[in-house]
């Protein structure tokens, strides 16, 4: 069965571009578009899509208000915020209101399609550029006990994997990490997979938050 997608954005040209991009994927079906939150809610209730791509800046009913109603009425639907906003407050509020993901509109096509697939499968998806901002909200929670626990966790990781954790906590993409560590992106991907397995986590965001909570975050 294809992943059924609803687009909610007030810019017609942007919607058309995203629709053309998604329709090229054999496992995607764009079931409808909407230019505002009210129409988006109506179409979502009628069509019950698997994924909704939702802009925050909508006329009338705001994106966050639309999100709240979507998650209330259609809890099984994965709502991904797709916006120009990189404000940490809006990111945090969207996640608290039930968004499955938060992506910014400068995302490339491959990353967007991969994120939609992950979100449809139940995984949270957050833009790499937003991860560090999310992490900052947790930094005050890292006390001495957490740092002590973190020391034990660090012992399970290789030196390179500890570097990977620190870069993930800053919100760096695989491409950036590869450049900074002078290794290939495929090598970085393997390290990330190893980190997830050793720490029993499922996403890069979880690694970033874990790093802060366990005293493994560094600005350097």
């Amino acid at each position: 069965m294809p992943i059924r997608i609803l687009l909610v954005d007030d810019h017609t040209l942007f919607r058309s571009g995203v629709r053309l991009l998604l329709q090229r994927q054999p496992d995607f079906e764009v079931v409808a578009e909407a230019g505002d939150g009210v129409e988006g809610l109506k179409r979502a209730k009628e069509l019950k899509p698997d994924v909704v791509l939702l802009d925050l800046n909508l006329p009338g009913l705001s994106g966050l208000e639309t999100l709240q109603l979507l998650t209330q009425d259609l809890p099984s639907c994965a709502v991904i915020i797709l916006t120009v906003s990189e404000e940490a407050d809006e990111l945090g509020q969207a996640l608290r209101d039930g968004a499955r993901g938060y992506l910014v509109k400068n995302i490339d096509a491959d990353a967007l399609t991969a994120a939609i697939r992950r979100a449809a499968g139940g995984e949270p998806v957050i833009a790499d550029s937003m991860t560090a901002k999310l992490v900052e909200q947790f930094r005050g929670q890292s006390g001495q006990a957490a740092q002590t626990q973190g020391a034990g966790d660090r012992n399970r990781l290789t030196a390179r994997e500890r570097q990977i954790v620190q870069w993930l906590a800053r919100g760096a993409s695989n491409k950036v990490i590869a450049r900074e560590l002078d290794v290939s992106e495929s090598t970085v991907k393997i390290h990330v997979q190893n980190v997830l397995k050793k720490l029993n986590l499922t996403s890069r965001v979880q690694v970033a938050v874990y790093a802060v909570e366990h005293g493994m975050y560094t600005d350097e």
Side-chain angles (χ1 to χ4, degrees), residues 63-186:
L64 287 175
E65 290 170 330
T66 303
L67 168 64
Q68 292 167 0
L69 293 171
L70 279 171
T71 55
Q72 174 183 310
D73 295 340
L74 300 168
S76 63
C77 177
V79 182
I80 302 175
I81 302 300
L82 182 59
T83 182
V84 297
S85 174
E86 297 188 58
E87 294 297 322
D89 289 345
E90 291 190 322
L91 166 65
Q93 189 61 54
L95 296 178
R96 286 191 292 273
D97 288 342
R100 184 77 57 84
Y102 194 103
L103 305 174
V104 290
K105 288 184 175 179
N106 61 4
I107 190 171
D108 64 46
D110 290 342
L112 176 60
T113 54
I116 291 172
R117 292 185 181 99
R118 294 201 306 274
E123 181 180 342
V125 290
I126 298 179
D128 290 337
S129 63
M130 299 300 295
T131 302
K133 296 180 181 183
L134 178 63
V135 165
E136 287 300 321
Q137 299 184 24
F138 292 86
R139 294 197 65 184
Q141 301 175 10
S142 298
Q144 184 62 43
Q147 293 180 13
T148 300
Q149 178 63 36
D153 293 314
R154 285 194 294 271
N155 291 336
R156 287 189 278 163
L157 303 174
T158 66
R160 179 65 86 190
E161 288 166 353
R162 291 196 293 272
Q163 287 181 306
I164 295 292
V165 168
Q166 290 166 358
W167 280 106
L168 291 177
R170 299 173 206 168
S173 65
N174 285 358
K175 184 176 182 179
V176 169
I177 297 172
R179 183 177 67 243
E180 294 294 331
L181 299 183
D182 194 24
V183 297
S184 69
E185 286 188 56
S186 60

Side-chain angles (χ1 to χ4, degrees), residues 18-33:
V18 173
R19 182 168 195 148
L20 286 173
L21 165 69
L22 299 183
Q23 286 179 330
R24 295 173 185 161
Q25 306 299 313
D27 55 335
F28 288 173
E29 178 187 356
V30 179
V31 295
E33 301 176 22

Side-chain angles (χ1 to χ4, degrees), residues 186-204:
S186 60
T187 297
V188 172
K189 184 176 180 180
I190 291 170
H191 284 314
V192 171
Q193 291 172 341
N194 288 339
V195 167
L196 292 172
K197 183 176 180 180
K198 289 183 179 181
L199 298 182
N200 194 30
L201 301 173
T202 60
S203 73
R204 300 164 72 95

